[in-house]
Structure formats: structure tokens, C-alpha cells
């Protein structure tokens, strides 16, 4: 009979499946008994107690009774948590096997047992009952009882499983590093296992200087080791060498609480940091250490198991992977996905897009309200500081609700300022948005200064046009206060929407629709409001009746509005031109350098002393479009950190 086993621990699942291959088959629980086939015979065991795993003990146990009435405690855990409690069995050979397995990057466990007498069982039951019914320090008392039972063990052996890397893990880590994101590995694995996995995952690279802080049990010794590595790391950093720090849980016990500041400084000098043999609580403490640093970096923690939950909750952003160790990490995370490689697309592509969209949306909302309502402030100086409003309440109500809302809303959903392929192939572009660079004081002042300039142009331009008691109508009708406000308002609405168009790079169908809808909706609603005589219950005055139709029928007013919009948007057009020219130059230079490097790599025996400037942009473009090696070029682009 074939079984498909499920377990919260990949080690348990692998061990049970391996036993099945040797005809030791676990059938599950039936009538309260565990059924196992061994050498063709069915054996039944009664499970008496489960001593659950906790990060302090680093082991778990079960107490079972066989058909002969014998009671055994079976224990599994890290070698550091079990071998010190062993009094029988091949202890040294088991330790040797664990170390050998670890050098191959395998995850190891040690198995041990203890035969219990009736006296041991009775004493354990009594202690367990007292601990479970205690009203104070229940967890500590339970841990003491478990520790009391998990002693005088007989070692059975060691297991090792290969925790295979998911696809594209090295590529993803390299892309994150190129994007300016420091990648740390926090794991409970043995040091040798963790180091080998770090190399295979691309976290560590050949040529890095390894700085090891491991197996230190004294605070003073820890301080001396950290300072010694600090000097070495500074020397390597000044020489352009890369440092890789390796620290274990034992050393972290002293380093985190006694020497946190200097440890943080040491970590900042390292390209990669590996923390091994850690408890879940220590993972969270390391995240907290970095999060509360002087430069206040934004932290993200990613994990797939229950032991990663505390770390995920401590970080600014929690990321969960739906792995084989349950869904606890996913349930406690801010974002969840099925594979580690999706982190690359989530951050470098969607993260980049959404940051640009949100930052523009925030700045734009401040800008368009400054451009609109500042005219009311200017009008105050020409109305004897009275309570007279420049704009009708209809305009004040619907300016943000309808007339200027839909384009920016759809912009924040669909805008793509750069091609998707470019963001994924050039991870270093992510550095342009780090440290909240698009929402700094500089950009905020720039947006609002433009809004203030637009308000000055709109109000004073229309005011000067109306000055001198002139008329633009054949019947000699003069333009009054409400006409002044109406012209300023419509000019402002048109200008702020065009301003958003200057910020838009991706003109999709919804974006086009939003501008058409905003224009048509503005005309339709204003026509409806001014074209009817509304009851006094709805509108107390009729000063706006037919005003809009008088406005749109006057050619000089439209000419004035067009001129004012052009004058107001000249700085915006200039900024857009400078930005696009600089972006084109940067892209051309980056492609130029990449092609030159690629040619040097493909033709090492050619004259590599040719200056890069001698490869003109047209020649490099021709090389890209005609070369058969373009896929290799793309791969090279992705791996090159400029």
C-alpha cells in the first residue's frame, strides 16, 4: 500500500519516507494506537506524551509504550542539544557523521532514546500534572519537566536531508544585491551546513573574506573578537575587498545584548551576513538590532516556517513563502507568494512601479489644490478682505470629486515610467527610489512651487484681461465677478490635467478614457448646473444661470486661457525635456559600456585597449540587433553591476 505523508517538518517526512523504502511502513493512527509494519509484521504502539519542540531546548520527544509494555522516550534535535545528554552509544562516531553531512550542506538531526521505568513514568506524570495546573510560570515549569526527562539518553544515530534550493535563488539574491539591498541569512542550521548553502545560493562568493564569530561563550572574549574583526573589515573595505560575516547563536547571546552597536557597525562593513544556529527569538532580535540603527533602514524578513514568524512580525515588511513547513509564516506576513524568485519581480518591478505611482499621486494632490485655492487668497486683496468667494460653491465641491480625480486615480493604477524588461534586467535602477527619494522635501517644494506659479499665472492673467472695464461681447456686456472665477477655474482644471499628462509615460486605453471622461463630465455637469433655473430649496441664488454658455461662446477668452496654460506649463515642459534627455543619455551610456564589456569578454584576444568612446552608439546598436549572441548579452546585462 502506498502512502503520501504530510508533516510540519521536512526532516520527519523524509525520515518516514526513507524508512518505507526499507519495509518499515508507518500506517498512521488507528483506535488510538500507532501502527507500523516492521519486517512484514504489524506492530502497535501507544503514544503516551508528546514533549513539543521549543527553540530553547532545540529538541522534541515522544513517550510511547510497545506491545510488551515497555516504555521509551524517543528524542530528536540538534546535535548540540542532544549529544551532551548522551551516556550510551556511539557518541563520537555520530558527531563525526553530523560534521561530514554538514560539509555537504545537508540539514542534520540526532536521534536518541531512553528506556523508562514505571517509577520514571509515575514521577514524570506527577511533575507534568503540577506544571500544567500551575497558575504562574507555567511555560518555565513545563520546560523544566521536559528537561528532566530528556536525560541519560542512548544515541541511535544521525539523519541528514538535502534542503534543495528553489529555482533562480542565486540569480534573485544577486539582483537584490545589485539593487542596493543587503541580504542576510538567519537560520537554525549548523554552521558548516549554513556556509555551504550560502555559497550554493550565491549569498557568499569566492574571494570574500570570511569573518567568523562562532563558539564564543564569554562576553569579554566576544567584545575582543568583534573589535578585531572590525579592524580587519575596515582594512578590507578600504582596499575594495568584500567581507562576509558568520556568527552563531551562542555568540549572538553576548553580542546582541552587550555589544550591539559595534556589531551593527561591523555588519554594515560586510557585503553578506550569515547567522546560524539561531533560535526564532534571536532572529527577531537581529532584525530589531538593524531596524533600530542610526540610519534607520527599512527591513524585510522572508521565511516559510513557524520558526520564522517572530522575525517576520518584527520587520517593517513581512514576507511569507508557502512551503512544506506549514502556513504559519504566510498567515503572519504582509505579502505571500509561492517561490523565492518572485521576490525579484515583486520588489524590482511592482515595488518600483507602485512607489512612483504613489509618490506622484501624493505630490499631485498637494500641487493641484495649491494651484486651485491660492487664487482665492489673491482675490482677497482685491475684494477689500470681504467674505466674497471667487469660485461658486459648485466649483469648490466638484473640483476634487470629479473634475481632477479620475486621471490621477487611473495613473496610480497603470503608470509604467520604464519598461518592465528594463527594470528586471537592470536591478541597479531600484536605487533611484530608495530612502523615499521621490517624497523628499526637494520634490515636495518643487511640486508646490509649480502649483504656486500656476496659481499666479491663472489669477493675475485673467484679472489683467478683465481690467480696464473692457468687454469682449458685441452687446457691450461687462464681465463680472462670477465670470472672473469661472475663467480662472476652467483654466486651472485644464492646466492641472495637462500637467499630469506631462508626468505620464504609459498612455494606455484607461488613461485616455479618464481624460476624455474628465473633459466631457466637466462640460456636461457645468452645463447642467448653469443651464437650468434651480428651485430656491436647492440653490439660493441664480447668479450663475447661463454663465458657462456665455463663457464658451467668447473667442478672446479661449485665446487668453490657451496662452495662460502655455505660460504656466513652460517650467513643467522644460523639466520633462531635461529629464528625458538625461534619461536617454544614461541609457545610451549604460548600453555603450555593457556592449564594450561584452565584446571584451567574447573576444579576449582582441585589442581590449580601445577606448569605450570609440564604439559609437550606432555601432553598438547594430551589434545588438545583428549579433546571434543577444540572449547571452541579456544574461550578461542581468549579472553586471554598474
Amino acid at each position: 500500500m502506498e502512502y503520501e505523508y504530510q508533516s510540519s517538518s521536512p526532516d520527519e517526512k523524509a525520515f518516514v519516507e526513507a524508512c518505507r523504502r526499507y519495509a518499515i511502513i508507518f500506517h498512521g493512527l488507528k483506535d488510538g494506537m500507532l501502527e507500523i509494519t516492521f519486517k512484514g509484521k504489524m506492530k502497535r504502539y501507544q503514544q503516551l506524551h508528546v514533549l513539543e519542540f521549543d527553540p530553547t531546548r532545540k529538541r522534541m520527544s515522544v513517550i510511547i509504550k510497545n506491545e510488551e509494555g515497555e516504555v521509551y522516550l524517543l528524542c530528536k534535535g540538534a546535535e548540540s542539544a542532544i549529544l551532551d545528554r548522551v551516556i550510551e552509544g556511539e557518541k563520537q562516531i555520530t558527531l563525526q557523521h553530523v560534521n561530514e553531512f554538514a560539509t555537504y550542506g545537508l540539514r542534520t538531526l540526532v536521534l536518541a532514546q531512553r528506556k523508562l521505568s514505571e517509577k520514571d513514568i509515575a514521577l514524570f506524570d506527577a511533575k507534568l500534572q503540577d506544571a500544567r495546573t500551575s497558575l504562574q510560570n507555567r511555560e518555565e515549569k513545563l520546560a523544566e519537566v521536559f528537561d528532566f526527562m530528556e536525560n541519560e539518553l542512548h544515541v541511535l544515530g544521525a539523519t541528514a536531508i538535502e534542503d534543495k534550493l528553489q529555482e533562480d535563488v542565486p540569480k534573485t539574491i544577486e539582483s537584490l544585491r545589485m539593487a542596493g539591498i543587503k541580504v542576510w541569512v538567519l537560520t537554525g542550521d549548523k554552521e558548516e551546513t549554513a556556509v555551504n548553502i550560502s555559497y550554493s545560493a550565491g549569498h557568499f562568493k569566492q574571494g570574500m573574506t570570511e569573518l567568523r564569530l562562532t563558539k564564543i561563550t564569554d562576553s569579554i572574549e566576544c567584545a575582543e573578537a568583534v573589535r578585531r574583526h572590525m579592524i580587519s573589515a575596515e582594512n578590507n573595505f578600504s582596499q575594495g575587498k568584500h567581507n562576509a560575516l558568520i556568527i552563531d547563536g551562542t555568540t549572538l547571546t553576548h553580542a546582541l545584548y552587550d555589544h550591539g552597536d559595534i556589531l551593527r557597525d561591523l555588519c554594515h562593513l560586510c557585503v553578506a551576513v550569515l547567522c546560524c544556529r539561531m533560535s526564532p527569538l534571536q532572529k527577531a532580535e537581529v532584525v530589531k538590532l538593524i531596524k533600530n540603527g542610526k540610519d534607520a533602514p527599512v527591513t524585510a524578513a522572508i521565511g516559510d516556517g513557524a520558526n520564522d514568524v517572530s522575525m517576520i512580525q518584527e520587520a517593517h515588511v513581512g514576507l511569507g513563502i508557502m512551503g512544506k513547513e506549514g502556513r504559519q509564516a504566510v498567515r503572519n506576513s504582509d505579502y505571500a507568494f509561492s517561490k523565492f524568485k518572485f521576490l525579484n519581480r515583486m520588489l524590482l518591478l511592482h515595488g518600483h512601479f507602485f512607489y512612483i505611482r504613489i509618490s506622484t499621486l501624493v505630490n499631485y494632490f498637494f500641487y493641484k489644490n495649491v494651484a486651485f485655492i491660492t487664487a482665492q487668497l489673491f482675490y482677497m486683496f482685491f475684494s477689500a478682505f470681504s467674505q466674497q468667494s471667487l469660485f461658486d460653491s459648485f466649483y469648490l465641491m466638484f473640483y476634487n470629486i470629479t473634475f481632477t480625480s479620475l486621471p490621477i486615480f487611473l495613473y496610480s493604477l497603470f503608470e509604467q515610467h520604464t519598461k518592465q524588461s528594463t527594470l528586471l534586467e537592470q536591478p541597479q535602477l531600484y536605487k533611484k527610489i530608495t530612502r523615499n527619494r521621490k517624497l523628499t522635501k526637494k520634490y515636495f517644494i518643487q511640486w508646490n512651487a509649480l502649483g504656486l506659479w500656476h496659481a499666479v499665472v491663472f489669477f493675475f492673467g485673467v484679472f489683467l484681461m478683465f481690467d480696464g472695464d473692457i468687454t469682449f461681447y458685441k452687446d457691450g456686456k461687462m464681465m463680472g465677478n462670477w465670470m472672473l472665477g469661472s475663467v480662472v477655474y476652467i483654466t486651472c482644471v485644464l492646466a492641472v490635467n495637462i500637467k499630469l499628462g506631462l508626468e505620464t509615460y504609459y498612455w494606455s486605453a484607461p488613461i485616455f478614457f479618464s481624460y476624455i471622461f474628465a473633459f466631457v463630465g466637466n462640460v456636461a455637469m457645468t452645463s447642467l448646473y448653469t443651464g437650468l433655473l434651480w428651485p430656491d430649496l436647492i440653490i439660493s441664488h441664480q447668479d450663475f444661470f447661463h454663465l458657462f454658455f456665455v463663457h464658451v461662446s467668447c473667442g478672446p477668452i479661449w485665446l487668453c486661457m490657451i496662452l495662460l496654460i502655455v505660460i504656466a506649463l513652460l517650467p513643467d515642459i522644460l523639466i520633462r525635456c531635461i529629464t528625458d534627455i538625461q534619461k536617454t543619455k544614461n541609457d545610451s551610456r549604460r548600453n555603450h559600456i555593457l556592449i564594450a564589456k561584452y565584446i571584451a569578454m567574447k573576444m579576449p584576444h582582441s585589442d581590449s585597449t580601445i577606448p569605450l568612446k570609440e564604439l559609437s552608439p550606432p555601432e553598438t546598436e547594430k551589434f545588438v540587433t545583428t549579433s546571434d549572441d543577444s540572449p547571452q548579452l541579456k544574461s550578461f546585462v542581468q549579472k553586471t553591476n554598474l
Side-chain angles (χ1 to χ4, degrees):
M1 182 181 296
E2 292 293 331
Y3 293 103
E4 182 178 351
Y5 298 106
Q6 297 292 334
S7 173
S8 60
S9 168
D11 303 86
E12 295 177 358
K13 185 174 184 292
F15 185 64
V16 173
E17 289 177 345
C19 289
R20 186 181 61 185
R21 296 190 183 98
Y22 292 92
I24 305 173
I25 304 173
F26 174 58
H27 299 284
L29 188 66
K30 184 177 181 180
D31 297 331
M33 302 291 286
L34 300 171
E35 295 185 342
I36 298 175
T37 298
F38 179 69
K39 293 183 178 180
K41 296 182 179 180
M42 177 69 72
K43 293 184 176 293
R44 295 164 62 87
Y45 298 86
Q46 181 183 359
Q47 180 177 293
L48 302 179
H49 296 285
V50 177
L51 283 58
E52 296 290 352
F53 174 87
D54 69 63
T56 303
R57 290 165 41 239
K58 296 182 180 179
R59 58 185 179 270
M60 72 163 294
S61 304
V62 294
I63 299 177
I64 61 171
K65 179 190 289 187
N66 60 21
E67 295 172 324
E68 289 75 25
E70 298 173 326
V71 180
Y72 289 89
L73 179 142
L74 303 178
C75 184
K76 73 177 180 73
E79 83 286 348
S80 59
I82 291 184
L83 292 181
D84 292 341
R85 299 170 174 271
V86 168
I87 60 174
E88 295 179 348
E90 301 293 345
K91 180 178 178 180
Q92 293 301 323
I93 294 177
T94 302
L95 180 60
Q96 180 182 349
H97 288 165
V98 169
N99 293 331
E100 289 176 358
F101 292 148
T103 58
Y104 292 106
L106 304 177
R107 297 179 60 174
T108 59
L109 284 177
V110 173
L111 306 178
Q113 71 174 18
R114 174 186 176 185
K115 188 175 182 179
L116 302 177
S117 63
E118 293 183 0
K119 181 179 179 181
D120 293 330
I121 291 296
L123 181 60
F124 172 72
D125 287 340
K127 288 180 172 289
L128 184 63
Q129 181 65 22
D130 291 340
R132 285 178 173 171
T133 56
S134 175
L135 299 179
Q136 296 180 343
N137 302 322
R138 182 178 304 172
E139 297 295 332
E140 290 81 358
K141 291 181 179 180
L142 282 173
E144 291 177 2
V145 175
F146 294 166
D147 190 71
F148 167 75
M149 292 300 295
E150 293 169 336
N151 266 310
E152 301 178 0
L153 301 174
H154 174 86
V155 66
L156 299 175
T159 66
I161 66 168
E162 180 184 5
D163 193 2
K164 290 186 177 181
L165 292 174
Q166 295 182 0
E167 56 183 311
D168 293 336
V169 169
K171 177 181 174 182
T172 302
I173 292 178
E174 181 61 22
S175 295
L176 296 177
R177 184 176 286 126
M178 291 169 62
I181 300 173
K182 281 197 172 183
V183 181
W184 292 29
V185 173
L186 312 181
T187 178
D189 289 338
K190 188 176 172 63
E191 178 184 340
E192 292 81 0
T193 302
V195 170
N196 279 280
I197 291 176
S198 289
Y199 275 107
S200 61
H203 182 232
F204 284 179
K205 290 188 174 182
Q206 299 298 330
M208 287 185 176
T209 303
E210 293 185 6
L211 307 176
R212 292 181 181 259
L213 289 171
T214 56
K215 302 177 182 177
I216 299 176
T217 57
D218 181 73
S219 180
I220 298 177
E221 182 185 355
C222 178
E224 293 176 352
V226 172
R227 291 189 180 93
R228 185 171 61 252
H229 284 316
M230 187 72 181
I231 296 173
S232 177
E234 289 176 343
N235 293 333
N236 293 334
F237 185 80
S238 62
Q239 298 172 12
K241 298 179 180 179
H242 292 163
N243 301 306
L245 178 64
I246 303 170
I247 185 169
D248 64 3
T250 304
T251 307
L252 276 171
T253 303
H254 305 288
L256 280 175
Y257 303 106
D258 301 333
H259 319 290
D261 293 336
I262 189 172
L263 175 64
R264 188 190 300 114
D265 294 338
L266 174 60
C267 292
H268 286 328
L269 293 173
C270 297
V271 175
V273 177
L274 169 64
C275 302
C276 55
R277 274 294 182 237
M278 302 180 70
S279 66
L281 183 59
Q282 283 181 320
K283 293 181 180 181
E285 290 295 330
V286 169
V287 174
K288 184 178 181 180
L289 174 73
I290 301 303
K291 186 173 71 171
N292 296 332
K294 291 181 291 186
D295 51 350
V298 177
T299 58
I302 182 169
D304 63 351
N307 56 350
D308 299 317
V309 169
S310 58
M311 170 182 69
I312 289 173
Q313 292 179 332
E314 180 64 39
H316 291 101
V317 181
L319 306 171
I321 297 180
M322 293 176 282
K324 298 179 180 179
E325 300 185 30
R327 296 295 179 94
Q328 293 91 333
V330 170
R331 294 191 186 101
N332 289 275
S333 63
D334 299 306
Y335 303 94
F337 34 85
S338 59
K339 293 184 179 180
F340 180 78
K341 69 175 184 178
F342 296 149
L343 182 63
N344 192 28
R345 190 174 182 86
M346 186 194 78
L347 286 176
L348 304 186
L349 179 64
H350 296 294
H352 202 136
F353 279 158
F354 278 103
Y355 178 76
I356 295 296
R357 296 166 183 171
I358 293 298
S359 62
T360 303
L361 181 145
V362 172
N363 284 318
Y364 180 76
F365 263 92
F366 280 99
Y367 150 78
K368 72 187 182 74
N369 283 286
V370 169
F372 170 58
I373 208 62
T374 308
Q376 177 67 51
L377 176 65
F378 296 149
Y379 180 71
M380 176 181 65
F381 293 95
F382 297 93
S383 63
F385 296 91
S386 67
Q387 298 181 7
Q388 175 63 45
S389 175
L390 175 64
F391 304 114
D392 186 78
S393 58
F394 170 79
Y395 287 150
L396 294 172
M397 180 184 301
F398 289 99
Y399 177 77
N400 280 313
I401 295 177
T402 58
F403 296 158
T404 61
S405 59
L406 187 59
I408 185 60
F409 174 72
L410 293 181
Y411 172 95
S412 63
L413 294 179
F414 296 103
E415 170 63 7
Q416 298 181 23
H417 64 290
T418 305
K419 291 182 179 179
Q420 296 188 22
S421 58
T422 302
L423 292 178
L424 293 175
E425 292 172 358
Q426 300 177 21
Q428 60 272 18
L429 295 178
Y430 188 80
K431 295 179 182 179
K432 293 184 177 181
I433 65 169
T434 56
R435 294 290 179 183
N436 207 17
R437 295 189 182 183
K438 295 296 183 180
L439 284 174
T440 58
K441 293 180 180 179
K442 170 188 173 183
Y443 281 96
F444 183 79
I445 293 173
Q446 175 181 311
W447 276 87
N448 286 277
L450 290 172
L452 183 60
W453 161 249
H454 293 174
V456 169
V457 173
F458 301 152
F459 177 78
F460 288 102
V462 177
F463 183 82
L464 292 175
M465 181 183 69
F466 281 24
D467 193 24
D469 295 332
I470 62 175
T471 179
F472 296 114
Y473 300 103
K474 296 178 181 180
D475 57 2
K477 184 178 181 180
M478 304 301 296
M479 292 175 288
N481 177 78
W482 293 119
M483 178 62 76
L484 172 67
S486 179
V487 175
V488 172
Y489 175 81
I490 294 177
T491 306
C492 179
V493 169
L494 292 174
V496 297
N497 281 293
I498 296 174
K499 161 66 175 173
L500 181 61
L502 292 174
E503 298 293 328
T504 303
Y505 285 86
Y506 184 69
W507 287 91
S508 60
I511 294 293
F512 278 111
F513 169 76
S514 67
Y515 282 95
I516 294 173
F517 183 84
F519 175 77
V520 174
N522 190 352
V523 173
M525 292 182 65
T526 307
S527 300
L528 180 65
Y529 177 72
T530 62
L532 299 177
L533 287 173
W534 296 89
D536 293 340
L537 183 63
I538 300 177
I539 299 176
S540 59
H541 67 87
Q542 302 294 335
D543 298 330
F544 234 62
F545 178 69
H546 216 257
L547 183 68
F548 179 69
F549 300 99
V550 175
H551 175 185
V552 299
S553 64
C554 183
I557 290 181
W558 279 105
L559 178 61
C560 174
M561 290 170 53
I562 294 172
L563 290 175
L564 293 179
I565 291 172
V566 172
I567 294 172
L569 293 178
L570 278 177
D572 303 88
I573 296 171
L574 183 62
I575 292 173
R576 171 67 186 261
C577 291
I578 294 174
T579 302
D580 288 350
I581 291 172
Q582 187 63 40
K583 181 180 178 181
T584 303
K585 286 183 177 180
N586 291 339
D587 291 343
S588 177
R589 180 177 177 275
R590 186 180 297 112
N591 293 335
H592 187 196
I593 295 174
L594 287 172
I595 299 302
K597 287 184 176 182
Y598 180 74
I599 293 175
M601 179 183 68
K602 295 294 290 183
M603 297 179 290
H605 301 295
S606 64
D607 185 6
S608 59
T609 62
I610 300 176
L612 293 180
K613 63 182 180 181
E614 295 186 10
L615 289 171
S616 63
E619 291 173 339
T620 58
E621 183 178 356
K622 180 180 178 182
F623 182 86
V624 173
T625 56
T626 59
S627 174
D628 293 334
D629 295 324
S630 55
Q632 285 81 352
L633 176 61
K634 291 182 179 180
S635 176
F636 177 75
V637 169
Q638 293 174 354
K639 296 177 182 178
T640 303
N641 186 4
L642 296 180

